[in-house]
Amino acid sequence: MSRPALRTSVHVVRAMMPAYRWQYETLRWVGLGLVVVGVVLSVLGTGIVGVLAVVPVLGGGALFTVSSVRWWKLAVDTARAIRAQDDLRTRPLAAHPTVSVAAVSSARRIALVLSATLSVLALVVGIGGQGLPAPVPAQSTAARSAVVDEPTPTPTPTVAATRGARGFPVPPFAVEGGAVRIGQVEDEDAWWALCGAAMGDSDCLAWGVVAAVECDLEVTVSFADTETGPIARTEERSVRVRPGTPAFIASVGAESWSSIDAAGCRPRPEIDDHVATWFPTLDHEAQPEGCWDLGCVGFDVIPGRDCARADVQFAVYDGYGATGNPHDLVIPVELHEDVPLTVWAGGVESFEGDAVLTRISCPAEPDAHRAGVTASAATAR
């Protein structure tokens, strides 16, 4: 039978089928919808979400296949009934569309094979999707808002964000031929995620870094009490940046104004990144107040030497405040030799969230000072 004749047979049969065929058709669409939802969740979801996504895939596939079997069985039975009635008619058959039972049966076999194949493929994709990494943006929303497309080479001072308030942007700072760009974080939720666990009783300013190269970036941040007043102090900050992962630097202080004065990649940075050892903390009750809302991961640190301002860098696997998952967070701390302290990475509030302390660095001691310390130790012995 030709394709037009086959379509005519199926169309006539469907029109003559009992009214309860709509139940099977509705169940087919419901099953197909569950399959689609389950496949999407299994591919995009992580953890328990990805595992449980197999349930709608399996249930939807079974519902789609069973309802298809029932519908086509009813279609074949209806085609046989129509054909039996046509054989008993005395009027010419040309006055009534011809229905081929064999054609409808053939269409049923093809349709059932396709529906079963679709269900099996969906189940395979659903199970395999659990092993795929969840897609993450190459650049976070907070980093995009902090760094605009046209960087300004020399930023001007700006008001630092007061605790709990939204930061005010400064013109972005570009180095390495534009391969590394730095800007102040504007979004309030992002600022809170970055500063909420680090600022203590002081104010905090967050800077976002977007890099197209991997390097050790050194940043000089100046602080002043007024917009046009003299510089009260400067910070030399160190952060290891990498392409595709936004990095954020939290600066803590009491001054009202701040700006970036210099920045650059250093092939051999003058820092000591063996200044302390660390391990995950067991004292979760000691977390800062902001951690109750943010979610935090803490690490106990044992300094190997004094450092007035060390940089603690975390790899944070959570996108709280649209900071990007993952992103790097650098906070300042003061170290005293052999005096333990606990540092916290904030913005890890989701069920899947986590953070890892990757580096603690401090400006390297001058060679003369190192020699003096060595000589003093030898004399003492």
Side-chain angles (χ1 to χ4, degrees):
M1 176 176 284
S2 64
R3 289 182 180 274
L6 175 60
R7 286 196 298 267
T8 300
S9 294
V10 175
H11 178 74
V12 172
V13 168
R14 185 177 183 276
M16 300 295 291
M17 287 169 66
Y20 62 85
R21 67 177 172 82
W22 290 103
Q23 298 177 7
Y24 299 138
E25 294 176 354
T26 301
L27 290 176
R28 280 199 302 178
W29 283 110
V30 171
L32 189 60
L34 288 174
V35 168
V36 172
V37 171
V39 169
V40 171
L41 288 178
S42 65
V43 173
L44 300 183
T46 58
I48 192 66
V49 175
V51 174
L52 294 180
V54 177
V55 175
V57 174
L58 186 61
L63 184 61
F64 178 73
T65 303
V66 171
S67 57
S68 296
V69 170
R70 298 284 179 84
W71 191 94
W72 279 102
K73 182 181 183 302
L74 183 60
V76 172
D77 291 343
T78 303
R80 289 172 178 164
I82 294 173
R83 192 63 195 177
Q85 293 176 5
D86 285 343
D87 292 341
L88 297 176
R89 294 179 190 274
T90 56
R91 61 182 178 177
L93 292 178
H96 190 280
T98 301
V99 172
S100 170
V101 176
V104 176
S105 299
S106 177
R108 176 180 66 173
R109 287 193 297 270
I110 297 174
L112 294 185
V113 169
L114 291 177
S115 64
T117 302
L118 173 64
S119 300
V120 172
L121 289 177
L123 184 60
V124 171
V125 172
I127 295 174
Q130 300 173 42
L132 297 176
V136 296
Q139 183 177 327
S140 72
T141 303
R144 286 197 300 269
S145 66
V147 183
V148 296
D149 292 334
E150 296 297 332
T152 303
T154 54
T156 55
T158 183
V159 176
T162 56
R163 182 169 45 182
R166 177 170 177 161
F168 295 90
V170 300
F173 198 93
V175 296
E176 304 300 317
V180 179
R181 296 183 296 166
I182 311 168
Q184 188 173 349
V185 174
E186 302 177 52
D187 183 79
E188 181 177 352
D189 290 337
W191 175 86
W192 177 243
L194 303 168
C195 285
M199 60 187 176
D201 295 328
S202 301
D203 293 331
C204 180
L205 181 69
W207 303 90
V209 182
V210 175
V213 296
E214 182 172 354
C215 74
D216 287 292
L217 180 69
E218 292 185 357
V219 181
T220 301
V221 185
S222 295
F223 297 84
D225 294 323
T226 62
E227 182 178 6
T228 58
I231 294 177
R233 66 184 180 92
T234 60
E235 284 185 352
E236 300 291 336
R237 308 300 303 277
S238 177
V239 54
R240 186 162 292 164
V241 297
R242 46 188 172 149
T245 301
F248 298 93
I249 304 172
S251 293
V252 179
E255 295 82 7
S256 301
W257 296 81
S258 177
S259 68
I260 295 178
D261 289 348
C265 287
R266 301 290 182 261
R268 293 183 179 179
E270 296 180 356
I271 59 171
D272 179 3
D273 55 4
H274 300 286
V275 68
T277 57
W278 60 85
F279 46 88
T281 186
L282 299 177
D283 187 10
H284 302 289
E285 298 298 327
Q287 60 184 343
E289 182 179 353
C291 291
W292 295 109
D293 294 327
L294 288 171
C296 292
V297 175
F299 294 86
D300 290 331
V301 175
I302 301 178
R305 70 176 178 90
D306 292 346
C307 184
R309 206 236 15 91
D311 281 313
V312 178
Q313 183 162 347
F314 302 95
V316 182
Y317 299 94
D318 198 308
Y320 184 96
T323 50
N325 182 5
H327 65 271
D328 289 327
L329 170 62
V330 179
I331 64 171
V333 296
E334 182 177 355
L335 302 180
H336 298 281
E337 184 177 0
D338 296 331
V339 178
L341 75 157
T342 304
V343 294
W344 301 89
V348 193
E349 56 90 30
S350 75
F351 179 77
E352 295 293 331
D354 196 6
V356 178
L357 200 163
T358 58
R359 186 176 76 156
I360 299 179
S361 61
C362 183
E365 295 177 308
D367 292 339
H369 176 70
R370 290 180 182 177
V373 171
T374 303
S376 299
T379 301
R381 286 195 295 268

